[in-house]
Amino acid sequence: MRIWHQSFTVLDDVPHYRDALRRHLSSAARPGTTVEPHGMAPGTYPGSYPGVHIGHLYLTNLHREQFVRAALRAEDEGYDAFLIATIPDTGFEEIRTLVDIPVVAFGNASVAYAATVGTRVGIVNFIAELEPQLRRNMDAYGFGSLVGPIVQVEKGFTDVMAAYADPEPLLEAFRTAARRAVAAGANVIVPGEGPLNVFLADQGVSRVDDVPVIDSLGTALALAETRAVQYRRTGLHPPRTGLYFARPAPDMVAAARRFYYRDET
């Protein structure tokens, strides 16, 4: 089984995270599963890191096209599933309408799984600008009443990257933020964004005090594997009705993409 992992990060720009990500995906995958990490194209974020872009709706929507392109390629190349590895689930709705292979998204999968462990999900994130998008997504998924506090770690992207050399400051900042979420009613924690999740998994963090911490990426990967098996056995894929699920004709998609992305032809 081959799974395409798509990050919102230019992976070669952040080698500590890239290497930890590969370790985590390799250890979390089932025997016989190959997970191939893919990042954004080099130069996607000139002068600023992904966390700045992801906090602006237009830029997020512009970068979404890299996810769409990657998913179309993944299906063409015979991958068994496509994993959107960013908590705002960039392109999730659009991509599900374009491919039949299973599409699994980090935010959707981790919160859905957290509901099997606890009853009130707290998201601990490090990009404050994401909260409105996360709330909107969770409402669209039907998870709005399940998700409680969304709390920010008082560290930034560069701090997360630096933590691979000096982990304790970020670990303490995460514990502090998680305890704030628990005090606000959460009884299960989902770490937001891939770099924070992978760092915590690399450090073996699965609880803060008496509250479980979900391995968001590992959970999404497990669901992708399960969905891939179901797809092979039964052809299970989303409904093909209505605006959010109907699949447009491939030639219509190809013609539209040629018009808007003429530099690709």
Side-chain angles (χ1 to χ4, degrees), residues 1-183:
M1 180 187 301
R2 285 197 306 157
I3 295 177
W4 181 300
H5 164 286
Q6 182 62 45
S7 173
F8 205 91
T9 304
V10 181
L11 290 175
D12 286 341
D13 287 352
V14 282
H16 292 306
Y17 172 53
R18 178 200 62 205
D19 295 346
L21 174 65
R22 288 174 176 164
R23 287 195 301 270
H24 185 43
L25 292 172
S26 178
S27 65
R30 299 174 187 175
T33 296
T34 299
V35 187
E36 299 181 15
H38 295 81
M40 302 294 272
T44 295
Y45 310 111
S48 61
Y49 75 97
V52 173
H53 287 237
I54 210 171
H56 296 281
L57 186 61
Y58 174 71
L59 292 175
T60 295
N61 288 341
L62 194 64
H63 295 319
R64 175 180 58 199
E65 286 305 305
Q66 291 198 44
F67 283 76
V68 171
R69 189 183 312 174
L72 292 169
R73 179 181 161 194
E75 183 164 74
D76 285 345
E77 294 183 5
Y79 283 80
D80 295 285
F82 184 78
L83 175 54
I84 299 170
T86 182
I87 199 170
D89 297 344
T90 305
F92 185 37
E93 291 180 322
E94 293 84 357
I95 291 167
R96 286 187 302 181
T97 73
L98 296 177
V99 300
D100 281 335
I101 61 170
V103 179
V104 172
F106 183 109
N108 176 277
S110 57
V111 171
Y113 182 72
T116 72
V117 179
T119 56
R120 188 72 166 164
V121 179
I123 296 176
V124 175
N125 205 28
F126 66 89
I127 303 174
E129 293 81 2
L130 278 179
E131 181 170 352
Q133 183 65 60
L134 299 183
R135 296 283 184 197
R136 179 186 292 184
N137 286 356
M138 295 306 151
D139 286 343
Y141 303 152
F143 299 160
S145 62
L146 174 66
V147 174
I150 298 179
V151 176
Q152 307 308 313
V153 173
E154 293 183 0
K155 297 289 182 181
F157 184 82
T158 55
D159 299 306
V160 175
M161 295 301 104
Y164 286 101
D166 183 16
E168 193 53 40
L170 182 57
L171 288 172
E172 187 54 36
F174 174 76
R175 294 185 197 107
T176 298
R179 287 170 181 143
R180 291 204 310 272
V182 172

